[in-house]
Amino acid sequence: MADLLTIAIDGPAASGKGTLARRIAVHYGLHHLDTGLTYRGVARALLASGQPLDDVAVAEAAARALDLAGLDRGVLSAHGIGEAASKVAVMPTVRAILVDKQRTFAATPPGAVLDGRDIGTVVCPKADVKLYVIATPEVRATRRWREIEANGGDADYAGILADIKRRDERDTARAASPLRPAEDAHLLDTSEMDIETAFRAAKAIIDERLASRANAE
């Protein structure tokens, strides 16, 4: 386990953390988990079986049965599933079950890159590297709008911006695992960065940490 590497990437919606996390995972040969998909996976299971979204016991059972290897980003990205996931994510016992699964994932050699909203503070507080990725709401809304348009969808920029601001407020104000940077996280503002620039900035931080760890050994 000495060579196990854990990289925690947190940040608000559409900050670019997911794209960055996948790029980093490939570069360093690590597993990758978008932890937001775990909550969406539970929500989809409830929707598919016609179960109520406010039944804690049913949601707990779905969380325990969730297979992290079977999370399909394409399917789980549906807006309706995201709305349902926001209701599931406020249940402390469901969060506890999923956090345990996420920690097990992170502990699988050779290590992992996990992105979400509470990785550095709750899921992996001892991660080797912690990044907190941000961008202005306007930049994030533009990115989401372009993504939807590129995929052939019809997007309303004003509506997307309002939704992002609502999500920011909800995520930072929630009682369970609020969105906030860990004290030892490196802040990465991608407002003026493309993915290549953001990746190089993140890589410099990670490589410095790896060099420091190698010297300590």
Side-chain angles (χ1 to χ4, degrees):
M1 286 291 185
D3 295 327
L4 192 71
L5 177 61
T6 305
I7 299 174
I9 303 181
D10 292 304
S15 60
K17 65 181 183 295
T19 302
L20 182 61
R22 291 190 292 275
R23 180 79 179 270
I24 290 171
V26 170
H27 180 78
Y28 291 97
L30 302 172
H31 305 295
H32 169 252
L33 177 64
D34 174 350
T35 59
L37 294 183
T38 64
Y39 296 96
R40 286 173 174 261
V42 172
R44 180 173 183 267
L46 297 180
L47 292 171
S49 60
Q51 300 284 355
L53 296 173
D54 58 355
D55 189 318
V56 176
V58 171
E60 288 174 354
R64 291 191 187 95
L66 185 70
D67 178 11
L68 300 194
L71 299 175
D72 187 324
R73 176 179 301 277
V75 172
L76 297 176
S77 293
H79 181 73
I81 293 178
E83 289 297 306
S86 69
K87 298 177 181 179
V88 170
V90 300
M91 301 176 182
T93 52
V94 172
R95 295 193 71 87
I97 293 167
L98 294 180
V99 165
D100 186 60
K101 285 178 176 284
Q102 293 160 12
R103 286 172 176 163
T104 298
F105 183 93
T108 303
V113 181
L114 286 80
D115 70 87
R117 290 173 174 76
D118 63 349
I119 310 305
T121 54
V122 176
V123 181
C124 299
K126 295 184 179 180
D128 298 286
V129 181
K130 300 177 185 178
L131 301 175
Y132 192 78
V133 183
I134 63 170
T136 66
E138 291 74 18
V139 166
R140 289 186 282 137
T142 298
R143 289 172 179 169
R144 183 61 54 82
W145 175 77
R146 287 175 177 169
E147 180 183 9
I148 295 172
E149 291 279 318
N151 291 327
D154 186 17
D156 171 48
Y157 172 82
I160 294 172
L161 179 59
D163 182 58
I164 281 178
K165 289 181 176 179
R166 280 195 301 270
R167 289 184 65 179
D168 285 352
E169 183 176 359
R170 183 178 64 208
D171 289 341
T172 55
R174 70 188 183 200
S177 304
L179 171 64
R180 60 181 175 82
E183 291 184 2
D184 55 346
H186 297 269
L187 183 65
L188 190 61
D189 189 338
T190 67
S191 297
E192 304 295 329
M193 296 182 182
D194 58 17
I195 181 57
E196 184 62 32
T197 304
F199 171 71
R200 289 199 301 268
K203 182 177 179 297
I205 294 169
I206 296 167
D207 287 347
E208 182 178 0
R209 170 58 182 148
L210 291 177
S212 176
R213 189 170 76 169
N215 291 334
E217 294 174 353

